[in-house]
Amino acid sequence: QVQLVESGGGLVQAGGSLRLSCAGSGLTFSRYAITWFRQAPGKEREFVAVINWIGSRMDYAPSVKGRFTISRDNAKNTVYLQINSLKPEDTAVYSCAAGRYVVGDDDMDYWGKGTLVTVSS
């Protein structure tokens, strides 16, 4: 059974940082690109960042570029999302997904359930 499990969310003040993790099991994790998405209350899901299978290529949404960093450790079957300089508008449920390397497309093979990030002003 394939599982993607996100962790690391929480309540943080504006300007703070968090590191989210996406741990995979039941799949050959290193064969998949991993994408982070987020969905804010009352809004549609949006693309945040993607990393290719080996960690040599990454892309970011313009709204997070320069503040968020995606990385992976295939030995641990884990992808990380370091989020810095948090803003209230970053408040959302952050989910990871495994699939092809596609910027902005949410046609993924597997999804996690998400972790909530709440940024207070």
Side-chain angles (χ1 to χ4, degrees):
Q1 180 182 1
V2 174
Q3 282 192 313
L4 296 175
V5 180
E6 301 92 340
S7 61
L11 174 63
V12 63
Q13 287 189 331
S17 299
L18 285 173
R19 189 176 80 157
L20 308 184
S21 298
C22 169
S25 61
L27 76 167
T28 306
F29 191 79
S30 60
R31 290 186 179 177
Y32 290 86
I34 301 295
T35 305
W36 283 96
F37 295 89
R38 67 184 181 184
Q39 187 165 18
K43 295 187 177 181
E44 292 188 353
R45 181 167 59 202
E46 64 172 349
F47 164 81
V48 175
V50 59
I51 189 166
N52 70 346
W53 66 280
I54 199 173
S56 61
R57 181 183 176 188
M58 295 80 78
D59 278 286
Y60 299 90
S63 60
V64 308
K65 198 168 187 177
R67 299 189 297 123
F68 290 20
T69 303
I70 190 170
S71 62
R72 70 189 297 159
D73 184 344
N74 285 340
K76 296 182 178 180
N77 284 358
T78 302
V79 166
Y80 304 99
L81 186 68
Q82 178 69 41
I83 47 180
N84 299 326
S85 302
L86 279 159
K87 306 175 182 179
E89 52 265 40
D90 293 320
T91 294
V93 174
Y94 286 70
S95 301
C96 63
R100 299 175 300 124
Y101 190 101
V102 181
V103 177
D105 189 351
D106 63 0
D107 183 16
M108 296 290 141
D109 295 330
Y110 305 105
W111 287 86
K113 294 183 179 180
T115 185
L116 176 62
V117 172
T118 304
V119 184
S120 63
S121 56

